[in-house]
């Protein structure tokens, strides 16, 4: 069990650029989640996948955000035309099944200049 | 709307001084209540899951309890390495899998 991994760990970009983050869940976990956390706040849910199907999306996930999990293994989160308000820690988590513990990765810290 | 509120926002303790953190929730049909620990710049680290009122779980100096309206994280004889932000989250009934988090309690334990 190697844990959830995320890449890159840090990303600095200029406003208007596109960025993509990757998440590799714990093997055998079929559920994968994306959250966003800003300073002094708890994580906020963005979206979740069961295998390759995206089953739930938050209203926070504007049309500039897209997430995929094409083969039911790793996932990518893309932000198009980044804005300064997108600066945050993007967290990925995975779980074995419904209502089971979600294990988080180390996060990707995004700074939009 | 589902809500999780944690108190206090920050807590300073002396090493060995026991205390409790509070997590009150209004989560429709709560299916699970989770406690995580988060160190600066890192992802949340899982501590406990509680599924029903009256349930208790312990791990080293930490003990989590759950009632129908709130959960407590009791810290007994804390050490400086227990310093972190402690996050509480609920998962609602009805098929949603999203965790609803509180803002956390930042705990500092002084030697």
């Amino acid at each position: 069990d190697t844990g959830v991994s995320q890449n890159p760990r840090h990303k600095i970009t200029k406003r208007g650029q596109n960025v993509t983050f990757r998440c590799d869940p714990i093997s055998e976990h079929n559920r994968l989640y994306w959250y966003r956390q800003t300073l002094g706040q708890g994580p906020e849910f963005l979206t979740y996948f069961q295998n390759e199907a995206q089953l739930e999306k938050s209203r926070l996930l504007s049309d500039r955000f897209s997430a995929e999990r094409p083969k039911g293994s790793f996932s990518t989160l893309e932000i198009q035309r980044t804005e300064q308000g997108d600066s945050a820690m993007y967290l990925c988590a995975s779980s074995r099944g419904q209502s089971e513990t979600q294990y988080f990765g180390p996060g990707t810290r995004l700074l939009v200049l | 709307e589902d809500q999780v509120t944690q108190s206090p926002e920050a807590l300073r303790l002396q090493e060995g001084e026991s205390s409790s953190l509070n997590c009150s929730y209004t989560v429709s049909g709560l299916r699970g209540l989770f406690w995580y620990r988060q160190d600066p710049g890192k992802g949340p680290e899982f501590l406990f899951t509680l599924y029903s009122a009256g349930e208790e779980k312990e791990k080293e100096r930490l003990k989590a309890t759950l009632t129908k309206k709130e959960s407590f994280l009791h810290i007994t004889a804390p050490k400086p390495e227990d310093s972190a932000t402690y996050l509480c989250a609920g998962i609602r009934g009805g098929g949603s899998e999203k965790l609803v988090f509180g803002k956390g309690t930042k705990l500092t334990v002084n030697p």
Side-chain angles (χ1 to χ4, degrees), chain A residues 4 8 10-13 15 17 19 27 39 41 46 53 58-63 69 72 77 92 94 104 112-113:
Chain A
V4 178
H10 303 274
K11 180 71 177 178
I12 300 174
T13 191
R15 191 174 51 190
Q17 298 294 304
V19 294
S27 59
L39 204 60
Q41 304 294 315
L46 292 177
S58 164
R59 290 169 299 185
L60 292 174
L61 212 67
S62 75
D63 54 8
R69 195 182 182 201
L77 178 68
C92 177
S94 70
F104 284 82
V112 182
L113 301 176

Side-chain angles (χ1 to χ4, degrees), chain A residues 80-99:
Chain A
Q80 295 182 326
R81 306 181 303 281
T82 53
E83 302 173 355
Q84 288 185 325
D86 296 330
S87 296
M89 173 82 92
Y90 288 83
L91 294 162
C92 177
S94 70
S95 73
R96 196 187 306 270
Q98 187 178 30
S99 302

